[in-house]
């Protein structure tokens, strides 16, 4: 019976997924034969089924690796077994990606499978010269590398990088399938990436728990299940939000919900609600009851897990069928429009209306990734403050206000009017840069999030590493000590400014969605580290004296000012093939807009720097005042013994000099 229960959950998952995908394909016509160039039923049904197993392999890999990094003890058998699950899942991911690449090739080229040189040469050209083929080849190579790494690596720190590498392997998949048309490509790609990644954590984590059953006896099961439940709750929120965005892009109108694609979306929504009820059931009743029950009473729990996995299988099957079902909203590329504008050819979307102050605050282009980051950042920070208050500790209100303000400003910059215009105007891009690198860190750093986390997150005693342990490890690591050095932080902050704009990085970050996301992360992190090295409250090794900090800050201000002046006085247009080709009819040339961007870098960018200088000076004065008070208290305690010893030393030296 235990062995049967162990395999019942994964078997129910696969069986339900296969039934769901076949029914969904038949209902929505996702595998119907085209009027021309039919690749055959094997390919038509084989392609979505192969993609289904790609998704299941991804889920098993990501879910097992996340549990290894955040929930399991390296000294227990559960750790090695979870890595075996990750390795086997990555192998499934590799094989399924290979079949998907083959079936995609057969669909595009309508070639029968042959075992000759011509077929192999044509397949090789597809995999190496076409964007679609390169995406699946890269996915297959990443999955194969993750398979090997899961077998070879056992160090927990190294496995964090393996997990990040595996997550990066989802990027080629994120740009495949329905992307909502060219205009919504970036939003749809972000939603797809988040959906696949967090669904993997949710589904793969539960599959791993089911397969780890023999290693999780007694109270250990409750401990690991509690940790997984938190991950599952976060995953549920992200999956629901990304699923909603994807559906909104592809369905567009409520009437389209009656289309075959819309019906499948409704089915998936219903299953998601059922899975949410499962999660609430676990958190509110199951975990508490299991903590009081004996091991003999837990068979019913694994039956519930099998039922939940069956529903997850249905959701996975429907999702794979959706990827092959025509959307109600046709996807129209800009190049296929009758008379595309230059902006449409460059960005895939028409120019926004001319920039005004009002439109900066009324137009929105939501970026789901950063909206979720900011929402979770605010929630967990305030939850930490509430936990401190419940146990009777205090936390300054102004720190919470600054943190929330910084997160709201980050959400605005990445999703508000600035984000609408920064693709089209260099000045809007520079406003985003200055805000990300200078204004937001000045608000976030005084919030002291690391200190708050270390005071509120529970310490683990079972050998596993949770958020607190990973934060402690990072804070005391050599890389952190190196980058937290004010000189290094200032060099990165100011030097990368020049390097970014006068290298191909600027083009990549402007024209590519992934590059744009990298730019946000880079500016935010370099600015945060720089401000932290000057005025941070969080733990930071080797802070120099305040006079040195002011000198570093003044030097950084000078480099920023020179950069702004260089743009203001420059006569050569940076990224002329992009910003110079948008076709604005406002009377402001691209060069004038670039010079305005230089003024923003010089003036607006210096306001937070001046604020930093004032804060450093105030901290310096307070430090001197604290030192003076500490000396006065010491003098009161010992009767100015230190001063008397100093005077005695001077008298002894004077006596020695006279005796000579």
């Amino acid at each position: 019976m235990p062995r049967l229960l162990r395999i019942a959950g994964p078997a129910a998952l696969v069986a339900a997924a296969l039934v769901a995908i076949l029914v969904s394909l038949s209902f929505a016509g996702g595998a119907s034969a085209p009027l021309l160039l039919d690749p055959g039923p094997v390919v038509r049904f084989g392609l979505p089924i192969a993609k289904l197993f790609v998704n299941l392999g991804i889920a098993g890999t990501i879910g097992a690796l996340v549990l290894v990094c955040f929930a399991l003890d390296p000294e227990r058998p559960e750790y090695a077994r979870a890595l075996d699950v990750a390795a086997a899942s990555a192998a499934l991911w590799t094989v399924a990606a290979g079949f998907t690449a083959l079936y995609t090739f057969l669909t595009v080229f309508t070639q029968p499978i042959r075992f000759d040189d011509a077929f192999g040469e044509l397949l090789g050209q597809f995999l190496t010269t076409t964007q679609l083929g390169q995406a699946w080849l890269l996915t297959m190579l990443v999955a194969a590398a993750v398979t090997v790494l899961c077998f070879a690596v056992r160090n927990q720190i190294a496995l964090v990088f393996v997990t990040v590498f595996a997550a990066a392997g989802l990027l080629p998949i994120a740009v495949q399938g329905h992307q909502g048309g060219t205009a919504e490509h970036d939003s749809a790609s972000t939603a797809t990436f988040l959906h696949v990644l967090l669904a993997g954590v949710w589904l793969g984590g539960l599959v791993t728990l089911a397969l780890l059953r023999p290693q999780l006896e007694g109270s250990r099961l409750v401990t690991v299940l509690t940790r997984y439940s938190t991950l599952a709750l976060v995953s549920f929120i992200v999956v629901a939000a990304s699923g909603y965005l994807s559906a909104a892009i592809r369905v567009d109108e409520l009437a389209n919900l009656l289309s075959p694609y819309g019906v499948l979306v409704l089915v998936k929504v219903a299953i998601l609600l059922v899975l949410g009820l499962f999660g609430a059931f676990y958190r509110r009743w199951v975990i508490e009851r299991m903590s009081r029950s004996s091991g003999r009473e837990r068979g019913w729990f694994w039956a519930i897990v099998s039922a939940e996995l069956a529903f997850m299988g249905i959701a996975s099957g429907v999702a794979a069928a959706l990827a092959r079902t025509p959307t109600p909203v046709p996807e129209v590329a800009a190049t296929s429009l009758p008379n595309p504008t230059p902006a449409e050819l460059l960005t895939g979307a028409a120019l926004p209306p001319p920039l005004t102050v009002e439109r900066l605050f009324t137009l929105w282009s939501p970026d789901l990734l950063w909206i979720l980051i900011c929402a979770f950042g605010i929630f967990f920070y305030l939850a930490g403050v509430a936990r401190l208050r419940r146990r009777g500790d205090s936390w300054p209100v102004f720190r919470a206000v600054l943190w929330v303000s910084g997160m709201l400003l980050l959400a605005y910059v990445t999703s508000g009017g600035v984000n609408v215009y920064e693709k089209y105007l260099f000045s809007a891009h520079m406003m985003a840069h200055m805000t990300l690198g200078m204004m937001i860190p000045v608000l976030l750093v005084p919030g002291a999030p690391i200190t708050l986390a270390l005071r509120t997150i529970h310490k683990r005693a079972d050998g596993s590493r949770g958020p607190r342990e990973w934060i402690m490890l990072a804070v005391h690591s050599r890389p952190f000590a190196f980058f937290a050095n004010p000189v290094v932080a200032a060099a990165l902050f100011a030097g990368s400014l020049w390097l970014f704009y006068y290298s191909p990085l600027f083009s990549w970050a402007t024209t590519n969605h992934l590059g744009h996301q990298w730019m946000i992360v880079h500016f935010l992190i370099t600015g945060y580290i720089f401000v932290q090295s000057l005025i941070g409250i969080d733990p930071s090794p080797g802070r120099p004296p305040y006079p040195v900090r002011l000198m570093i800050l003044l030097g950084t201000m000078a480099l920023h000012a020179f950069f702004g002046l260089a743009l203001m006085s420059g006569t050569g247009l940076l990224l002329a093939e992009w910003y110079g080709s948008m076709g604005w009819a406002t009377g402001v040339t691209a060069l004038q807009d670039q010079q305005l961007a230089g003024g923003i870098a010089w003036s607006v960018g210096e306001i937070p720097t001046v604020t930093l200088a004032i804060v450093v000076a105030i901290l310096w004065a307070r430090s001197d005042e604290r030192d003076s008070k500490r000396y006065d208290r010491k003098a009161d305690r010992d009767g100015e013994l230190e001063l008397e010893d100093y005077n005695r030393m001077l008298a002894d030296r004077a006596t020695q000099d006279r005796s000579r």
Side-chain angles (χ1 to χ4, degrees), residues 146-170:
V146 172
T147 305
V148 175
L149 291 171
C150 288
F151 277 118
V153 178
R154 287 296 182 268
N155 180 271
Q156 201 169 17
I157 297 176
L159 284 170
V160 171
F161 293 98
V162 174
T163 306
V164 173
F165 180 62
L170 306 184

Side-chain angles (χ1 to χ4, degrees), residues 15-341:
L18 289 173
V19 172
I21 192 172
L22 293 174
V23 172
S24 300
L25 289 172
S26 300
F27 167 76
S32 300
L35 296 177
L36 298 174
L37 303 177
D38 180 14
V42 173
V43 176
R44 285 188 276 109
F45 282 91
L47 179 56
I49 291 175
K51 286 186 176 180
L52 168 64
F53 280 99
V54 167
N55 293 337
L56 294 179
I58 290 171
T61 305
I62 299 293
L65 286 174
V66 169
L67 285 182
V68 162
C69 295
F70 291 97
L72 302 180
D73 182 0
E75 302 300 325
R76 297 175 185 261
E78 63 195 35
Y79 187 83
R81 177 60 65 88
L83 285 176
D84 292 341
V85 173
S89 300
L92 173 63
W93 179 8
T94 306
V95 174
F99 275 102
T100 303
L102 175 62
Y103 287 139
T104 302
F105 165 73
L106 296 175
T107 300
V108 173
F109 287 86
T110 61
Q111 292 285 321
I113 296 179
R114 304 189 310 272
F115 298 95
D116 55 26
D117 293 341
F119 181 85
E121 183 178 352
L122 190 59
L123 177 60
Q125 290 178 357
F126 168 73
L127 293 175
T128 57
T129 61
T130 66
Q131 186 176 3
L132 186 60
Q134 289 172 350
W136 282 109
L137 177 61
L138 182 59
T139 299
M140 187 167 43
L141 293 175
V142 170
V146 172
T147 305
V148 175
L149 291 171
C150 288
F151 277 118
V153 178
R154 287 296 182 268
N155 180 271
Q156 201 169 17
I157 297 176
L159 284 170
V160 171
F161 293 98
V162 174
T163 306
V164 173
F165 180 62
L170 306 184
L171 291 173
I173 297 176
V175 298
Q176 302 305 311
H178 302 306
Q179 297 303 329
T182 307
E184 300 289 347
H185 180 271
D186 293 346
S187 297
S189 297
T190 300
T192 300
F193 175 77
L194 292 174
H195 199 79
V196 175
L197 177 63
L198 274 299
V201 174
W202 189 8
L203 170 58
L206 191 61
V207 170
T208 305
L209 281 177
L211 295 175
L212 289 182
R213 183 182 179 278
Q215 283 75 36
L216 299 176
E217 298 294 342
S219 62
R220 187 63 186 164
L221 173 61
V222 177
T223 300
V224 176
L225 181 61
T226 302
R227 295 168 184 171
Y228 164 75
S229 179
T230 301
L231 294 171
L233 178 59
V234 173
S235 299
F236 172 78
I237 295 171
V238 176
V239 167
S242 57
Y244 171 80
L245 178 59
S246 297
I249 292 173
R250 296 169 176 88
V251 175
D252 191 33
E253 298 178 358
L254 289 177
N256 290 331
L257 288 174
L258 300 179
S259 66
Y261 188 92
V263 171
L264 291 184
V265 168
L266 292 176
V267 171
K268 195 176 175 185
V269 169
I271 297 172
L272 182 65
L273 293 175
V274 172
L275 292 174
L277 293 176
F278 269 109
F281 180 63
Y282 285 138
R283 294 182 69 86
R284 291 185 174 273
W285 187 70
V286 171
I287 294 177
E288 182 180 356
R289 178 173 176 178
M290 288 180 62
S291 63
R292 299 195 304 263
S293 66
S294 63
R296 292 188 303 272
E297 299 175 356
R298 297 183 182 181
W300 60 270
F301 167 73
W302 297 108
I304 295 176
V305 168
S306 299
E308 183 178 10
L309 285 173
F311 276 98
M312 286 185 170
I314 297 173
S316 300
V318 173
L322 276 171
R324 296 293 300 169
T325 303
T327 59
V329 179
E331 300 179 9
V332 180
T335 53
S336 64
L337 294 173
N339 295 301
T341 64

